[in-house]
Amino acid sequence: MRAYWFDNEQGDQRLPHDSNRDVEPSYLAQLGVLYYHLPEESKVDTIAKERDYKNRDVITVSPDAMGAIYEDKVKSFFHEHLHEDEEIRYIRDGAGYFDVRSEDDAWVRIRLEKDDMIVLPAGIYHRFTTDEQNYIKAMRLFKDEPKWTPLNRGNETDINEHRQNYLQSRSA
Ligand code: KMT
Ligand code: NI
């Protein structure tokens, strides 16, 4: 894992967009973003149990796995959105970037590789992209049924109660 400020330059979303200004894990924690490095997959069971996650699946995002829809998928993952539940991803292979909004609405880019796990809190604005290798395999954990509906950022999401709760918990 490496977290840094996104450079906001033009260019493919899959490029690093590295400003060379790092972001400390403690700042991620301030945003409510949790990070774990878990070389032992069994540790996932412990975390899943603690947080009451019962189900999981594995998704491969790549042209090989997705065929013609790959480019559209990658674009849609990159639309800024929030969820009304946590988003947990545990990378099993390949790599990708999760971008999360800072308190000042700047982008923090988080590069995740194999054995990295991230927990994004409900209500945080974020987006995802593969990198130039165009390949990531990730485990997605969920509680009962997946509540992954991405709610694209707009007036509606700004007043969403999960968004409000998120902002409240950050300022506490
Ligand atoms: C997401 O939330 O954008 C995804 O699930 C993308 C695939 S998981 C790396
Ligand atoms: Ni999401």
Side-chain angles (χ1 to χ4, degrees):
M1 189 278 274
R2 198 187 136 228
Y4 53 88
W5 296 99
F6 186 80
D7 68 7
N8 292 311
E9 299 292 335
Q10 297 291 317
D12 193 293
Q13 65 191 51
R14 288 166 281 205
L15 294 169
H17 289 278
D18 188 351
S19 65
N20 290 313
R21 291 180 297 132
D22 280 16
V23 169
E24 296 305 316
S26 60
Y27 183 68
L28 292 182
Q30 208 169 305
L31 297 176
V33 174
L34 305 178
Y35 163 74
Y36 306 89
H37 185 70
L38 302 174
E40 290 171 70
E41 195 164 323
S42 62
K43 292 269 166 49
V44 173
D45 300 335
T46 313
I47 291 171
K49 213 170 192 171
E50 277 170 9
R51 305 181 85 84
D52 204 25
Y53 281 72
K54 298 185 182 72
N55 299 308
R56 58 184 73 170
D57 71 5
V58 175
I59 182 177
T60 300
V61 181
S62 72
D64 272 357
M66 292 182 156
I69 65 166
Y70 172 75
E71 288 294 330
D72 284 346
K73 277 283 181 193
V74 164
K75 282 199 190 79
S76 79
F77 289 144
F78 203 61
H79 284 138
E80 180 173 5
H81 64 276
L82 60 71
H83 306 279
E84 298 190 335
D85 208 345
E86 287 181 342
E87 174 165 322
I88 303 192
R89 298 291 183 267
Y90 176 46
I91 312 310
R92 303 319 300 127
D93 202 9
Y97 301 113
F98 281 88
D99 294 342
V100 301
R101 285 288 189 188
S102 72
E103 285 155 317
D104 301 326
D105 229 17
W107 284 117
V108 175
R109 175 153 279 200
I110 305 166
R111 179 181 172 79
L112 296 182
E113 299 178 356
K114 186 177 187 300
D115 298 336
D116 290 336
M117 176 188 271
I118 196 164
V119 182
L120 303 182
I124 194 172
Y125 284 125
H126 66 279
R127 63 188 184 186
F128 169 80
T129 185
T130 45
D131 71 5
E132 292 164 276
Q133 304 302 312
N134 291 296
Y135 172 68
I136 193 167
K137 185 172 157 190
M139 183 188 289
R140 307 187 288 191
L141 288 88
F142 47 99
K143 288 183 175 171
D144 291 307
E145 45 182 299
K147 271 204 322 195
W148 291 331
T149 319
L151 304 177
N152 286 343
R153 186 172 183 170
N155 296 334
E156 300 255 326
T157 53
D158 282 346
I159 58 166
N160 180 290
E161 71 168 292
H162 295 85
R163 175 67 184 164
Q164 294 298 320
N165 290 343
Y166 170 70
L167 291 175
Q168 198 108 48
S169 65
R170 290 309 105 208
S171 61

